[in-house]
Amino acid sequence: MGLTTSLTNAVSGLRVNQDALDIVSRNVANQGTPGYHRQSLNIVDYNSQNSTYARTAGASRAFSTSLQTYYTRQVSDTSSSAVQATYLDRLQGTLGKPGSTGSLDTLYGQLQNALQTLATSPDDYTARAGAVSQAQTMAEQLNRLSSTIQGMRQETEGQMASDVQNLNGMLTSLQEVNARMLDLGMGDTARSALQDQRDRLVSSVSELIDVQASYRGDGTVALMTRSGVGLLDNGLSTFKFESAGNLAATSEFDPDPSKTKVGKLTLTTPSGLTIDLVASGVIQGGELGGLMTLRDQTLVEAQAQLDEIASGLAQAFSTIQTAGTPATSGTASGFDVDLASMAPGNDMLLTYTNGGVEKRVRVVNSTQAMDYIDANGQRVLGIDLSGGAAGAAAALSGKLPGLAITSTGADTLRILDGGVGGTTTVKLATTRTTAAGTQGEGLALSLFVDAGNTAFTNSLEGNPPQKQGFAARISINSAVLADNRLLIQDEVGATLGDADRPNFLIKQLADLKFVSGGDPVASKGRFQLSGNLGEVINQTITFQGSSIAAAITKYDDRQLTLDTVVQQMDEEYGVNVDEEMVRLTELQNAYSANARVVGVVKELLDALFNAV
């Protein structure tokens, strides 16, 4: 090997060493920098007949498409779980744990105790005042819980608006990064830094919405949702959020844009197509997905359960149950029922056997056509009873096989079996109506009332039905607040020593049964509450507690998985300072060796020139 060849080899080695030192210094300087990917130098060896030397062929950046794809998905899932866990943890603090001070089951127990005290000492002013106070505390707690839930739903809308603004900004930045990636004159250092920025932006986008990233050979990236809707490719899609203003308990999502009462989230594609992301179910993860689940499902169900409790509370105090009068016609027997006092939402309970099989039917006074089996196996029919007995008989005709249903007066409905030898037997026919006031309607009274001191009848008419949002409106009858003797006196001038009304109310709370959710098919996915009021309250608290615990556990599990993925990424992408220091020592030694070769060649060439 000649001196010139040796010099060439040593100089090329010095250049490679210098480039490698630059990479090492860059790695060490960025150790711990979020989103930085370790770099390494590509070295190509050239061999010829007379010499061997090395040249650099740019820098490589540590990157794994499969690992990055898994990380992006896990970020979306964890972000969705995180926001839900945060909100639900706050809800748990508001609802309280079973038996805790201020929880609904505790307040309900205190109301029952107050009624027991009232039944023992009905003529005691303190006992009456205590019962009214406990009832008012119960109503006010339902008001507060409802207000808290709606406040949280309002917060989700504000957070969604902020997320949409940030999301559009990040997608615009990604589009700019893609454009810069196409610059063929860009150096390796700048390209690697731009790729780091690209991956950080993709990660930030995945925190807000579930995405799939397609990494291309030229360094650009295309994004779409998991459901396949394009976000960034040849063009840029734009998100838009239109707030609905203040949300109330009656503000719910509806697939019909003209009926929805919550904020609208849309996506406009580069072609101009606008997609309703909520109605179409496009978003399946990320913080936006979690916020939509909270606003339209989780918190709505919590409100619905509070409304069930408020509804049950009002009905337990105000429901008047009137058994039908036994009636016969020839060999047929059954009952006459009076429909005169049936308000919208009131109902009639029928129990009969047909072919040896017991049938239970609840006929609701409503103009809405309903026919379903509730969670307790009871058939529910919606019949307009406002037209009197004749209209009711006509509407029920053919719906209850084996029964003969006729009218015997303007408001009297007769329900008979098939007579001797028939296979049908009517066992029970009872109407349940609502006491509109505090006296003159038997032992029931309208203690818990709706807005404007109006009676709660559980009417299904109007949009929304009366039950929806009732927990936010429930209050104590102003007449009872003004005169607590009405808790005892079911008739004007009745004695204060009579405990019949308190005992009746205690029995109503224990015996009156409720079933939530309406049609189980229409309410698919919602937990069905059933039982007396105490059982409904306990089921609500237990369900919310377990749901909240499950949401927090789910977040913890996903966070643990994400931490594992991040650790794996650190091992694959991150900078190990110890390894870099070892590499630095190797490069310093190689640099010294090459420099020594250059020095020796220089000395030999100087000696040769001097000899000449």
Side-chain angles (χ1 to χ4, degrees), residues 190-479:
R191 182 171 293 276
S192 294
L194 203 57
Q195 288 174 323
D196 288 344
Q197 183 184 358
R198 176 202 66 189
D199 292 345
R200 281 192 290 266
L201 285 169
V202 171
S203 175
S204 296
V205 169
S206 67
E207 288 182 12
L208 300 182
I209 186 173
D210 57 296
V211 292
Q212 298 181 68
S214 176
Y215 297 94
R216 294 166 174 161
D218 58 7
T220 61
V221 64
L223 294 182
M224 67 174 63
T225 66
R226 288 183 200 163
S227 55
V229 176
L231 303 177
L232 174 65
D233 197 348
N234 295 326
L236 178 66
S237 296
T238 304
F239 289 84
K240 182 179 180 182
F241 182 75
E242 300 175 30
S243 175
N246 293 328
L247 297 186
T250 55
S251 304
E252 293 188 8
F253 168 76
D254 192 295
D256 184 343
S258 65
K259 296 180 180 179
T260 191
K261 297 179 181 179
V262 296
K264 187 177 181 181
L265 179 62
T266 58
L267 178 74
T268 302
T269 65
S271 64
L273 175 65
T274 298
I275 304 171
D276 187 325
L277 297 177
V278 183
S280 59
V282 168
I283 297 180
Q284 302 173 2
E287 187 169 279
L288 275 173
L291 291 170
M292 286 193 299
T293 299
L294 284 166
R295 186 195 67 178
D296 300 334
Q297 297 177 33
T298 309
L299 295 176
V300 169
E301 182 170 15
Q303 177 66 54
Q305 292 179 345
L306 292 182
D307 293 339
E308 292 289 350
I309 293 172
S311 168
L313 196 57
Q315 291 179 89
F317 280 77
S318 65
T319 296
I320 303 169
Q321 300 190 72
T322 306
T325 304
T328 59
S329 178
T331 61
S333 62
F335 298 92
D336 285 340
V337 292
D338 185 2
L339 305 180
S341 300
M342 296 285 282
N346 289 169
D347 56 28
M348 175 176 63
L349 302 180
L350 297 177
T351 302
Y352 66 98
T353 59
N354 187 3
V357 179
E358 184 176 271
K359 307 285 186 178
R360 294 180 297 120
V361 181
R362 182 166 72 95
V363 180
V364 181
N365 182 18
S366 173
T367 58
Q368 297 185 22
M370 297 183 296
D371 190 350
Y372 63 86
I373 305 299
D374 68 18
N376 281 349
Q378 178 176 245
R379 186 182 180 189
V380 179
L381 295 174
I383 301 294
D384 185 3
L385 304 178
S386 61
L396 287 169
S397 177
K399 293 185 180 294
L400 303 174
L403 297 182
I405 303 176
T406 59
S407 61
T408 60
D411 296 308
T412 304
L413 189 69
R414 175 163 291 180
I415 304 170
L416 300 177
D417 58 25
V420 176
T423 60
T424 304
T425 303
V426 182
K427 300 172 66 175
L428 176 146
T430 301
T431 59
R432 299 194 300 186
T433 57
T434 302
T438 58
Q439 291 181 323
E441 299 176 89
L443 297 176
L445 80 158
S446 183
L447 177 63
F448 294 94
V449 294
D450 205 338
N453 216 52
T454 57
F456 179 84
T457 66
N458 201 22
S459 172
L460 300 177
E461 312 310 309
N463 186 21
Q466 189 178 18
K467 183 188 293 183
Q468 188 175 339
F470 181 50
R473 307 186 307 268
I474 188 172
S475 62
I476 302 300
N477 193 319
S478 59

Side-chain angles (χ1 to χ4, degrees), residues 480-547:
V480 178
L481 290 175
D483 185 1
N484 61 31
R485 291 176 299 176
L486 294 175
L487 283 178
I488 305 299
Q489 296 174 322
D490 56 279
E491 296 289 346
V492 176
T495 175
L496 288 176
D498 188 353
D500 286 351
R501 174 169 272 182
N503 285 326
F504 166 80
L505 297 177
I506 292 170
K507 189 174 187 302
Q508 285 278 93
L509 290 174
D511 295 346
L512 206 60
K513 305 295 183 180
F514 305 95
V515 180
S516 73
D519 185 352
V521 175
S523 304
K524 185 178 180 180
R526 286 195 178 183
F527 182 72
Q528 301 291 314
L529 305 171
S530 63
N532 62 30
L533 182 58
E535 291 168 339
V536 168
I537 291 174
N538 288 331
Q539 289 168 19
T540 296
I541 294 176
T542 301
F543 171 77
Q544 289 298 330
S546 61
S547 298

Side-chain angles (χ1 to χ4, degrees), residues 117-133:
T117 301
L118 183 63
T120 303
S121 306
D123 57 345
D124 186 346
Y125 176 86
T126 303
R128 298 195 301 272
V132 172
S133 176

